[in-house]
């Protein structure tokens, strides 16, 4: 299974009790995107302990749901003022899903 190359992270937390259709509605209404575009959209709860990744592969919606055993998912910063979503690379998504703090990695590369 291949993930889309364009990936967006919602900047505001959402209830992760939402289903495929409700998350697709959030993509349209809150993030200004098209849930069937082939792009992926990452949502997180308020405590950043759980995330859901939603995308449409051309045939069906796909949903990846993750919860860390310990710690929190690190949502990318900085977030532009008023932005509903932030684009991340596939590598950044991988780091987010692994629970790795990308801020620390960026500082280490400088």
């Amino acid at each position: 299974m291949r993930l889309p190359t364009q990936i967006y992270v919602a900047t505001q937390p959402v209830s992760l009790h939402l289903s495929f259709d409700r998350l697709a509605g959030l993509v349209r209404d809150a993030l200004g995107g098209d849930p069937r575009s082939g792009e992926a959209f990452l949502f997180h709860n308020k405590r950043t302990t759980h995330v859901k990744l939603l995308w449409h592969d051309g045939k069906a919606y796909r949903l990846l749901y993750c919860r860390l055993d310990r710690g929190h998912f690190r949502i990318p910063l900085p977030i532009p003022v008023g932005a509903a979503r932030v684009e991340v690379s596939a590598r950044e998504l991988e780091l987010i899903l692994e629970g790795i703090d990308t801020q620390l990695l960026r500082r280490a590369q400088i």
Side-chain angles (χ1 to χ4, degrees):
M1 178 171 45
R2 299 175 80 186
L3 289 175
T5 55
Q6 283 192 285
I7 304 154
Y8 296 97
V9 178
T11 60
Q12 297 299 312
V14 300
S15 169
L16 293 184
H17 293 96
L18 300 179
S19 66
F20 290 91
D21 295 327
R22 297 280 305 275
L23 288 174
L26 280 177
V27 169
R28 268 190 306 278
D29 301 337
L31 303 184
D34 178 1
R36 292 177 171 247
S37 66
E39 301 165 333
F41 298 88
L42 185 72
F43 298 93
H44 60 90
N45 66 343
K46 189 173 185 175
R47 294 181 303 158
T48 62
T49 55
H50 297 70
V51 295
K52 278 188 177 180
L53 183 68
L54 175 76
W55 75 99
H56 195 278
D57 67 4
K59 296 179 184 178
Y61 281 112
R62 303 280 181 164
L63 190 63
L64 175 69
Y65 191 23
C66 297
R67 176 185 62 87
L68 290 174
D69 286 335
R70 290 188 312 253
H72 300 272
F73 290 100
R74 304 293 180 197
I75 304 307
L77 296 173
I79 297 171
V81 175
R85 64 185 185 179
V86 175
E87 187 169 5
V88 296
S89 69
R91 179 67 179 138
E92 286 176 302
L93 175 64
E94 184 180 330
L95 294 172
I96 291 168
L97 294 178
E98 291 294 324
I100 297 172
D101 189 343
T102 55
Q103 286 285 84
L104 293 175
L105 288 178
R106 285 188 184 130
R107 278 188 241 137
Q109 292 174 352
I110 294 175

